[in-house]
Amino acid sequence: MLVRTKRNKLEILVDRPLLRRVRDIALEADIPGFTLLPTVGGGGHHGRWSEEMVTGGAGSKVRFMTLIDDATVERLLEKLEPLISEYSLIVTIVQVEKITDDSNDV
Amino acid sequence: MLVRTKRNKLEILVDRPLLRRVRDIALEADIPGFTLLPTVGGGGHHGRWSEEMVTGGAGSKVRFMTLIDDATVERLLEKLEPLISEYSLIVTIVQVEKITDDSNDV
Amino acid sequence: MLVRTKRNKLEILVDRPLLRRVRDIALEADIPGFTLLPTVGGGGHHGRWSEEMVTGGAGSKVRFMTLIDDATVERLLEKLEPLISEYSLIVTIVQVEKITDDSNDV
Amino acid sequence: MWSNGLTVIHMDVLLSPIILFFVLGALAAFARSDLAFPEALSKALSLYLMAAIGLKGGTLVAETGFTGDLVLAGLAGLLLSCLIPLGAFALLRGFGRLDTTNSAALAAHYGSVSVVTFVTGNQILGDQGLPPAGYMVAVLALMETPAIIVGLILARRGASDSVGVSGGKELLRETLLNGSVVLLTGSFIIGVIIGKDGMEPIAPVFVVGFNGLLCLFLLDMGLLAARRLREARSLTLRLVVLGLAFPVINGAIGVALGAVLGFDVGTAAALGILAASASYIAVPAAMRLALPKADAGLYLAMSLAVTFPFNITIGIPLYTAFAQFWIS
Amino acid sequence: MWSNGLTVIHMDVLLSPIILFFVLGALAAFARSDLAFPEALSKALSLYLMAAIGLKGGTLVAETGFTGDLVLAGLAGLLLSCLIPLGAFALLRGFGRLDTTNSAALAAHYGSVSVVTFVTGNQILGDQGLPPAGYMVAVLALMETPAIIVGLILARRGASDSVGVSGGKELLRETLLNGSVVLLTGSFIIGVIIGKDGMEPIAPVFVVGFNGLLCLFLLDMGLLAARRLREARSLTLRLVVLGLAFPVINGAIGVALGAVLGFDVGTAAALGILAASASYIAVPAAMRLALPKADAGLYLAMSLAVTFPFNITIGIPLYTAFAQFWIS
Amino acid sequence: MWSNGLTVIHMDVLLSPIILFFVLGALAAFARSDLAFPEALSKALSLYLMAAIGLKGGTLVAETGFTGDLVLAGLAGLLLSCLIPLGAFALLRGFGRLDTTNSAALAAHYGSVSVVTFVTGNQILGDQGLPPAGYMVAVLALMETPAIIVGLILARRGASDSVGVSGGKELLRETLLNGSVVLLTGSFIIGVIIGKDGMEPIAPVFVVGFNGLLCLFLLDMGLLAARRLREARSLTLRLVVLGLAFPVINGAIGVALGAVLGFDVGTAAALGILAASASYIAVPAAMRLALPKADAGLYLAMSLAVTFPFNITIGIPLYTAFAQFWIS
Ligand SMILES: Nc1ncnc2c1ncn2[C@@H]1O[C@H](COP(=O)(O)O)[C@@H](O)[C@H]1O
Ligand SMILES: Nc1ncnc2c1ncn2[C@@H]1O[C@H](COP(=O)(O)O)[C@@H](O)[C@H]1O
Ligand SMILES: Nc1ncnc2c1ncn2[C@@H]1O[C@H](COP(=O)(O)O)[C@@H](O)[C@H]1O
Ligand code: NA
Ligand code: NA
Ligand code: NA
């Protein structure tokens, strides 16, 4: 049977060289899972960028996405705060309904 | 003129070998359209994975996204239920505002 | 310290040859930043498509995403209206919470 | 004698690895195999072929020098790419029963050219001892854009249809600086500068590897063409007929023009191939911008899934036979 | 004498650039270097290798003609790919302590074959003056699928486990038309058609470049294998033992069968390599569909991270030594 | 006589296909053409070049053996990569008017090296009969990392700036195991092991194809460099001046050191090229982690869009002329 639960879909736009650190911290905060989503470019206060593998990924970004409950959001943000501040990362949170088979929903 | 309608943005994280089946079932449920979004990796209860074309896509995933109204959500989930259960797929639904030209909104 | 602000996450599904125009118009509307997200295929009233670099990108699409406040949404949609109508673009808007370091939130 | 010659050439060509790989790709896609090239590989092969054919043409011209024939061929190419859309437009409106916008968009495709068709033809002609003149690569680059302008004029005359938001000037700049035009022209000029001697150290990649990489690319083109054909919705029988008739008619006109201008067999055949081929790079992108109400699925299907396979398998030997018949 | 011969061959092979690049990749991944190939490059190299090995086999068969040996080898291959899963299944259930579904899924992998293992073995055998018969490429293609069916029957007998939603027929079609099967078979047929002469113009890409590109691919495979090993959670010591025992047992059986059938050393060794190798393309995709409750991380780790490295480094020279010992 | 020699070499080099393709890329990007390489192709070419140059250096060393010169050159390289950042830092703070963090980040780039600049220089020197010693590839690998540490020390002394969250140890590990360092060193060692004989079967890919693939890669680098220049916001005139002065000064120092140590012309020129070049792979990634407040757009623009084009077109022949003047 399908179960529907309210979850937060939290996304962090991470510079590729930073990815490993973000992931390790997130796993320490006991998230149940994560999915990495690609980007192709962008622009902001610090200028434009586009995916550029040649420069060792220094200028590329990836989105770290995780579906978590409210308590985990707070735990995760607390742990990530130094990284978010230091590297000016952008985090977004959206309310979603998560649907899975009940045997799968841990 | 632009029209704004409330829609559900439904996303399914699908193993690549399964994609054709999910798409065919979704089309049977009469969705008005869909867009496929890439992923680059992830992790969960069943371990880590990352995009790996060499192994025939067995370990890769893709997101099947469709903007649909409430009735279609129910119809679609009903049809997809066996697949979601069998393959432990994760579905998310977000409320969005969809904006298109009125001549385009069918 | 982290600041949380309510923002609109606006996404436009753009044909690749159109991307430059959409971006220029959006920048004219004074958006604070944008991120480009890839797609791999899709289908709708005008048939199926999939990423196909060989045909000069004529058949490929990319998502233009921007996190903006309500006033900017209106300004942006006004400027984009001719393009949305002419090229039958699909725009979606979701309410999100944006979290950044306070020194970064402009 | 002649028809025998044609048959022999034809069978030979159909059994060349280039064509066989194309057929393999098409069969795989029709059978719904999941065989697929990663996008980046298709794009890489297509960039490689343009650089290689540009260099080849350039070094040939470096040897022969700029001759009057070069100018003649250029003018012939321009003429063809301006006139072909007019005829195509009339047939598409009439026999094809298409509306103005779609007819204009398709007409532009047929007035322009397909790099891979030319490259394949050039290879096949060379293998048969009929290498076209090097400057035909410059003609290829020249013929990419003008038909777009003719197509847009045709569409505009059809009143009711508004032409895309983008001003004509910006569109013109984008089309003239389309990646394929720039790479072809640039490599051609580099070829002219470095000449045969300068080519030597880079020949292993750009000359020796050419045939094999073309096989891989055509395998991918077979996959793409057959997939487009399977998914083409708006393709009517009448349009398929036109998609096969256009290359024969335009090819014949191109070869004839080449014969009249006194070109050799290979060069005249190459002009025929250019005339017969339909664009699937520069023109679709421009049409998506300028004529948004035209059906992109339709023009890509006609160009990639009908005309391209015809040219690769039957067209090239046919135009060669025309040239042999009319010139020798 | 014999054991000396083995040692010499072995050291030689371990110091060949192909193997050294594989080791480099594995070391880099173990050291957690960020060295990585873009996906499209890995896929491109893998497509290239299949086309090249297909062509190679085909042109060889074009020369020797279709002989009785070809049919014999095909039957031997089919037999192996049907029987190996039965033995593997029993050992995985018993010694390996796995449940029915996972045992069946893994058994299917060992009954099927690994293209890269075959390609590497073929290259190494050729370098030692023991080139396998060309038709072994056809046997390679033949052996990709049958084990999948055997695996599914084994899984179904295990009652409680439901087999995937997808009907068997659709799954069979998809597996038979798997990209690697189609490309291998197609290139093989093209090779038969064009023969040695037709290969000449495309040989620079498909023959001359083969060894170097195989190095690059094995560098990537080393990265992938070591990463899988590092992240494999459900891999037990018992399973690792089986992942090393299977290739030795199956390899020996394959070589023995080849010897009994009267094949030459290279061809018998190649049959051993096919028997010993485990699939990581067609089978994982099919199992993900048909046996969703099986652990994909496990079967990919066993096939890619245990058996593949063993075969590349130790297995190939070992089966060659078996063949030399039993045949000469 | 000398200045004539320089001019001749220079014109020759500027008209070599390698440089012409670089210029083509730059022109295309300046004209805002949509010509672009897929990321995977750029990455593939860059991996290929590293493997090829590593193998080349290794096989050369396998022939000449490990000599005292190798150790000398290594020490010279280390010295340069530690001292250059100090001078660069002072000039960036003073003349360049940059803050401590950005000066330190940029200084690290100039102390480190650019693989493609070295590869291009190596090729050009070889074409002129002045091949550098094989061990210079090892020096190249050696020089990638030390400047990063010097740069971080410089940044830390600038008190107020906190250095990135990541501990120094983890960062050091990541930098030492950066993909480019691992691939270069690994291929170099493989080259040493297999020697000239072992290279033979893979030479078609790694040696014969080198020049042509370098052309393609430089076409892409031209596109990237010009695009970076167009989008660079924080690039001041003073910084551009430094971006051109650094390579000349460092190049001269490198060549002089080589001359003092008694190296031959090609080897001394190669040391000059290494000193003159600025990193755009290992260092930017490390700086993004360690000095997040430094402007990534700025250091990539300086390295890729100012210094790299200068070195490729003017620098390489200039340092060669220095070496010829001071040594012969
Ligand atoms: N308002 C925004 N909407 C979407 N993406 C943004 C926005 N602001 C910043 N970004 C992304 O974050 C990157 C860094 O932002 P910035 O630090 O402002 O240059 C940009 O290049 C964008 O990819
Ligand atoms: N909470 C989550 N948030 C984001 N992605 C998830 C989450 N849980 C699972 N996934 C994705 O779904 C895949 C399979 O999940 P699992 O079955 O838990 O291993 C993971 O590898 C992730 O890509
Ligand atoms: N309801 C939908 N949900 C998701 N994507 C859609 C939807 N409708 C259209 N699209 C996307 O927009 C493209 C063009 O739509 P259409 O104009 O309906 O063919 C499709 O190919 C899809 O990629
Ligand atoms: Na034409
Ligand atoms: Na096997
Ligand atoms: Na330097």
Side-chain angles (χ1 to χ4, degrees):
Chain A
M1 225 197 59
L2 300 188
V3 226
R4 305 187 177 202
T5 32
K6 292 255 165 275
R7 281 287 176 271
N8 299 280
K9 178 173 168 177
L10 185 146
E11 276 189 32
I12 316 173
L13 188 66
V14 189
D15 298 80
R16 212 170 262 268
L18 258 182
L19 180 60
R20 205 185 275 185
R21 282 168 181 68
V22 167
R23 187 196 62 199
D24 290 348
I25 292 175
L27 291 178
E28 271 171 37
D30 259 339
I31 58 165
F34 65 93
T35 304
L36 301 176
L37 312 174
T39 62
V40 289
H45 302 298
H46 297 94
R48 301 234 185 108
W49 60 275
S50 55
E51 254 269 291
E52 202 179 83
M53 283 186 182
V54 176
T55 43
S60 300
K61 295 179 202 286
V62 73
R63 286 174 299 148
F64 182 94
M65 186 271 277
T66 178
L67 298 165
I68 46 185
D69 59 26
D70 294 346
T72 313
V73 167
E74 298 314 317
R75 212 165 53 235
L76 180 58
L77 285 179
E78 201 175 305
K79 287 203 177 252
L80 280 176
E81 174 163 356
L83 229 60
I84 295 174
S85 303
E86 187 103 26
Y87 296 93
S88 310
L89 303 180
I90 298 175
V91 179
T92 57
I93 298 180
V94 197
Q95 308 302 319
V96 308
E97 201 174 11
K98 181 184 167 191
I99 301 167
T100 43
D101 189 61
D102 51 2
S103 64
N104 190 40
D105 196 59
V106 207
Chain B
M1 225 197 58
L2 300 186
V3 225
R4 305 186 176 203
T5 31
K6 292 254 166 273
R7 283 286 176 272
N8 299 279
K9 178 172 168 176
L10 186 146
E11 278 189 30
I12 316 172
L13 188 66
V14 190
D15 297 80
R16 212 170 263 268
L18 258 182
L19 179 59
R20 207 185 274 184
R21 281 167 182 68
V22 168
R23 188 195 61 199
D24 290 348
I25 292 176
L27 291 178
E28 271 172 36
D30 258 339
I31 58 166
F34 66 93
T35 304
L36 302 176
L37 311 175
T39 62
V40 290
H45 303 298
H46 296 94
R48 301 236 184 107
W49 60 275
S50 54
E51 254 269 290
E52 202 178 84
M53 284 186 182
V54 176
T55 43
S60 300
K61 295 179 201 287
V62 75
R63 286 174 298 149
F64 182 94
M65 185 272 276
T66 178
L67 298 165
I68 47 184
D69 59 25
D70 293 347
T72 313
V73 167
E74 298 315 318
R75 210 165 55 235
L76 181 58
L77 285 179
E78 201 174 304
K79 289 203 175 251
L80 280 176
E81 174 161 357
L83 229 60
I84 295 173
S85 303
E86 187 102 27
Y87 295 95
S88 311
L89 303 181
I90 298 175
V91 179
T92 57
I93 299 181
V94 197
Q95 307 304 317
V96 305
E97 200 174 12
K98 180 184 167 190
I99 301 167
T100 44
D101 189 60
D102 51 1
S103 64
N104 190 40
D105 196 60
V106 207
Chain C
M1 226 195 60
L2 301 186
V3 224
R4 305 186 176 203
T5 32
K6 292 255 166 274
R7 282 286 176 272
N8 299 281
K9 178 172 168 177
L10 186 146
E11 277 189 31
I12 316 173
L13 188 66
V14 190
D15 298 79
R16 212 169 262 268
L18 258 182
L19 179 59
R20 206 185 274 184
R21 280 168 182 68
V22 168
R23 188 194 62 198
D24 290 349
I25 293 176
L27 291 178
E28 272 172 36
D30 259 338
I31 58 166
F34 65 94
T35 304
L36 302 175
L37 311 174
T39 62
V40 289
H45 302 298
H46 297 94
R48 301 236 185 106
W49 60 276
S50 55
E51 254 269 291
E52 202 179 83
M53 282 185 183
V54 176
T55 43
S60 300
K61 294 180 203 285
V62 73
R63 287 175 297 149
F64 183 95
M65 184 272 276
T66 178
L67 298 165
I68 46 185
D69 58 25
D70 294 347
T72 313
V73 167
E74 297 315 317
R75 211 163 55 233
L76 180 58
L77 286 179
E78 201 175 304
K79 288 203 175 252
L80 281 176
E81 174 161 357
L83 229 60
I84 295 172
S85 303
E86 187 103 26
Y87 295 94
S88 311
L89 303 181
I90 298 176
V91 180
T92 57
I93 297 181
V94 197
Q95 307 304 318
V96 306
E97 201 175 11
K98 180 185 167 190
I99 300 168
T100 43
D101 188 62
D102 50 3
S103 63
N104 190 41
D105 196 60
V106 207
Chain D
M1 277 304 303
W2 168 76
S3 81
N4 259 344
L6 171 62
T7 322
V8 170
I9 290 177
H10 198 162
M11 281 313 300
D12 230 56
V13 165
L14 284 186
L15 293 184
S16 85
I18 303 179
I19 308 303
L20 290 173
F21 271 105
F22 179 76
V23 173
L24 172 58
L27 291 179
F30 280 128
R32 299 212 290 141
S33 162
D34 69 348
L35 182 60
F37 274 40
E39 277 317 295
L41 174 58
S42 317
K43 185 70 191 283
L45 288 171
S46 132
L47 291 170
Y48 163 81
L49 291 179
M50 288 179 207
I53 195 77
L55 285 170
K56 186 176 187 173
T59 47
L60 280 176
V61 167
E63 263 176 283
T64 60
F66 287 82
T67 62
D69 273 7
L70 190 160
V71 178
L72 267 187
L75 290 175
L78 284 179
L79 190 76
L80 286 170
S81 67
C82 291
L83 294 187
I84 286 174
L86 301 182
F89 180 77
L91 281 168
L92 287 159
R93 289 285 286 146
F95 181 80
R97 297 184 182 168
L98 274 185
D99 61 29
T100 311
T101 313
N102 277 305
S103 300
L106 265 167
H109 285 74
Y110 284 91
S112 180
V113 291
S114 148
V115 178
V116 186
T117 309
F118 176 79
V119 157
T120 310
N122 203 59
Q123 188 68 32
I124 291 176
L125 287 166
D127 289 351
Q128 293 175 1
L130 301 168
Y135 55 70
M136 289 310 286
V137 173
V139 179
L140 164 72
L142 262 180
M143 285 178 75
E144 285 216 56
T145 344
I148 295 175
I149 298 156
V150 179
L152 294 189
I153 294 170
L154 288 171
R156 242 169 252 231
R157 286 197 342 163
S160 75
D161 271 281
S162 80
V163 169
V165 169
S166 44
K169 228 170 127 189
E170 173 66 3
L171 182 74
L172 187 67
R173 199 193 61 71
E174 279 179 18
T175 310
L176 283 172
L177 291 172
N178 180 287
S180 66
V181 178
V182 168
L183 185 51
L184 264 178
T185 317
S187 313
F188 180 80
I189 295 174
I190 293 180
V192 171
I193 297 178
I194 63 174
K196 213 179 157 184
D197 287 353
M199 265 305 277
E200 219 172 280
I202 60 177
V205 167
F206 291 108
V207 179
V208 181
F210 192 80
N211 221 321
L213 293 175
L214 183 56
C215 285
L216 287 179
F217 190 63
L218 282 178
L219 171 57
D220 187 35
M221 292 298 291
L223 289 166
L224 292 183
R227 263 177 208 141
R228 287 242 160 237
L229 196 58
R230 262 193 19 225
E231 283 175 12
R233 304 167 155 221
S234 30
L235 208 58
T236 63
L237 186 62
R238 284 173 174 265
L239 288 174
V240 172
V241 168
L242 285 180
L244 300 174
F246 284 156
V248 176
I249 302 172
N250 298 337
I253 296 176
V255 173
L257 190 56
V260 166
L261 294 175
F263 295 165
D264 59 79
V265 172
T267 307
L271 191 61
I273 291 169
L274 287 177
S277 74
S279 167
Y280 58 84
I281 303 186
V283 183
M287 290 302 129
R288 183 70 193 105
L289 275 177
L291 299 178
K293 301 300 180 218
D295 180 348
L298 177 61
Y299 49 71
L300 279 167
M302 283 284 279
S303 162
L304 254 184
V306 180
T307 301
F308 177 73
F310 174 80
N311 275 330
I312 290 292
T313 52
I314 301 175
I316 292 172
L318 185 65
Y319 317 138
T320 310
F322 286 171
Q324 286 175 314
F325 190 56
W326 291 336
I327 290 173
S328 72
Chain E
M1 277 305 301
W2 167 77
S3 81
N4 259 343
L6 171 61
T7 323
V8 170
I9 289 175
H10 198 164
M11 281 312 299
D12 230 53
V13 165
L14 284 187
L15 294 184
S16 85
I18 303 177
I19 307 304
L20 290 173
F21 271 105
F22 179 76
V23 172
L24 173 58
L27 291 179
F30 279 129
R32 299 212 290 140
S33 162
D34 69 347
L35 182 60
F37 275 40
E39 277 318 295
L41 174 59
S42 316
K43 186 70 192 284
L45 288 170
S46 131
L47 292 170
Y48 163 82
L49 292 178
M50 289 178 205
I53 196 76
L55 285 169
K56 186 175 187 173
T59 47
L60 281 174
V61 168
E63 263 175 284
T64 60
F66 286 82
T67 62
D69 274 7
L70 191 159
V71 178
L72 267 186
L75 291 175
L78 284 179
L79 191 76
L80 287 170
S81 66
C82 291
L83 295 186
I84 286 174
L86 302 181
F89 180 76
L91 281 168
L92 287 159
R93 289 287 285 146
F95 180 81
R97 298 182 183 169
L98 274 185
D99 62 29
T100 311
T101 313
N102 277 305
S103 301
L106 264 167
H109 285 75
Y110 284 90
S112 181
V113 291
S114 149
V115 178
V116 186
T117 309
F118 176 80
V119 157
T120 309
N122 204 60
Q123 187 68 32
I124 291 176
L125 287 166
D127 290 351
Q128 294 176 0
L130 302 166
Y135 54 70
M136 289 310 286
V137 173
V139 179
L140 164 72
L142 261 180
M143 287 177 76
E144 286 216 55
T145 343
I148 295 174
I149 298 155
V150 179
L152 293 188
I153 294 169
L154 288 170
R156 241 168 255 231
R157 287 195 343 163
S160 76
D161 272 281
S162 79
V163 169
V165 169
S166 44
K169 227 171 128 189
E170 173 66 3
L171 182 73
L172 188 66
R173 199 195 60 72
E174 278 180 18
T175 309
L176 283 172
L177 291 172
N178 180 287
S180 66
V181 178
V182 168
L183 184 51
L184 264 178
T185 317
S187 312
F188 180 81
I189 295 173
I190 293 180
V192 171
I193 297 177
I194 63 175
K196 213 179 157 184
D197 287 354
M199 264 305 278
E200 218 172 281
I202 60 176
V205 166
F206 292 108
V207 179
V208 182
F210 192 80
N211 220 320
L213 293 175
L214 182 56
C215 285
L216 287 179
F217 189 63
L218 282 179
L219 171 57
D220 187 34
M221 292 300 289
L223 289 166
L224 291 183
R227 262 178 208 138
R228 287 243 161 236
L229 196 58
R230 262 195 17 228
E231 284 174 10
R233 304 169 155 219
S234 28
L235 208 59
T236 63
L237 185 62
R238 284 172 174 267
L239 289 174
V240 173
V241 168
L242 285 181
L244 300 173
F246 283 157
V248 176
I249 303 173
N250 298 338
I253 296 176
V255 173
L257 189 56
V260 167
L261 294 175
F263 295 164
D264 59 79
V265 173
T267 306
L271 191 61
I273 291 169
L274 286 177
S277 74
S279 167
Y280 56 85
I281 303 187
V283 183
M287 289 303 129
R288 183 69 193 106
L289 275 177
L291 299 177
K293 301 301 181 217
D295 181 347
L298 177 61
Y299 48 71
L300 279 167
M302 283 284 279
S303 162
L304 254 184
V306 180
T307 302
F308 178 73
F310 174 81
N311 275 329
I312 291 292
T313 53
I314 301 175
I316 293 173
L318 185 67
Y319 316 137
T320 311
F322 286 170
Q324 286 175 315
F325 189 57
W326 291 337
I327 291 173
S328 72
Chain F
M1 276 307 300
W2 170 76
S3 81
N4 259 346
L6 171 62
T7 321
V8 170
I9 290 176
H10 198 164
M11 281 312 300
D12 230 54
V13 165
L14 284 187
L15 294 184
S16 85
I18 303 177
I19 307 303
L20 290 173
F21 271 106
F22 179 76
V23 172
L24 173 59
L27 291 179
F30 279 128
R32 299 212 291 140
S33 163
D34 69 347
L35 182 60
F37 274 40
E39 277 317 295
L41 174 58
S42 316
K43 186 69 191 283
L45 288 170
S46 131
L47 292 170
Y48 164 81
L49 291 179
M50 288 179 206
I53 196 76
L55 285 170
K56 186 176 186 173
T59 46
L60 280 176
V61 167
E63 263 177 282
T64 60
F66 286 82
T67 62
D69 274 6
L70 191 159
V71 178
L72 267 187
L75 290 175
L78 284 179
L79 190 77
L80 286 170
S81 67
C82 290
L83 295 186
I84 287 174
L86 302 182
F89 181 75
L91 281 168
L92 287 159
R93 289 285 286 146
F95 180 80
R97 297 185 183 166
L98 273 185
D99 62 29
T100 311
T101 313
N102 276 304
S103 300
L106 265 167
H109 285 74
Y110 284 92
S112 180
V113 291
S114 149
V115 178
V116 186
T117 309
F118 176 79
V119 157
T120 309
N122 203 60
Q123 188 68 32
I124 291 176
L125 286 166
D127 290 351
Q128 293 176 1
L130 302 167
Y135 55 69
M136 289 310 287
V137 173
V139 179
L140 164 72
L142 262 181
M143 287 178 75
E144 286 217 56
T145 344
I148 295 175
I149 298 157
V150 179
L152 294 189
I153 294 171
L154 289 171
R156 242 169 253 231
R157 286 195 344 163
S160 75
D161 272 282
S162 79
V163 169
V165 168
S166 45
K169 227 169 128 190
E170 174 66 4
L171 182 75
L172 188 67
R173 199 194 61 72
E174 279 179 19
T175 310
L176 283 172
L177 291 171
N178 180 287
S180 66
V181 178
V182 169
L183 184 51
L184 264 177
T185 317
S187 313
F188 180 81
I189 295 172
I190 294 180
V192 171
I193 298 177
I194 62 174
K196 214 179 156 184
D197 287 354
M199 265 305 278
E200 219 172 280
I202 60 175
V205 166
F206 291 109
V207 178
V208 182
F210 192 79
N211 220 321
L213 293 176
L214 182 56
C215 285
L216 286 179
F217 190 62
L218 283 179
L219 171 57
D220 187 33
M221 292 299 290
L223 289 165
L224 291 183
R227 263 179 208 138
R228 286 244 161 235
L229 196 57
R230 262 194 18 227
E231 282 175 11
R233 303 169 155 221
S234 29
L235 208 59
T236 62
L237 185 62
R238 285 173 173 265
L239 289 174
V240 172
V241 169
L242 285 181
L244 301 174
F246 283 157
V248 176
I249 302 173
N250 299 337
I253 296 176
V255 172
L257 190 56
V260 167
L261 294 174
F263 295 165
D264 59 79
V265 173
T267 306
L271 191 61
I273 291 168
L274 286 177
S277 74
S279 166
Y280 57 84
I281 303 185
V283 183
M287 290 302 128
R288 183 70 192 105
L289 276 177
L291 300 177
K293 300 302 180 216
D295 180 349
L298 177 62
Y299 52 68
L300 279 167
M302 283 285 279
S303 162
L304 253 184
V306 179
T307 301
F308 177 73
F310 174 80
N311 275 330
I312 290 293
T313 52
I314 301 175
I316 293 172
L318 185 66
Y319 317 138
T320 312
F322 286 170
Q324 286 175 314
F325 190 56
W326 291 336
I327 291 172
S328 73

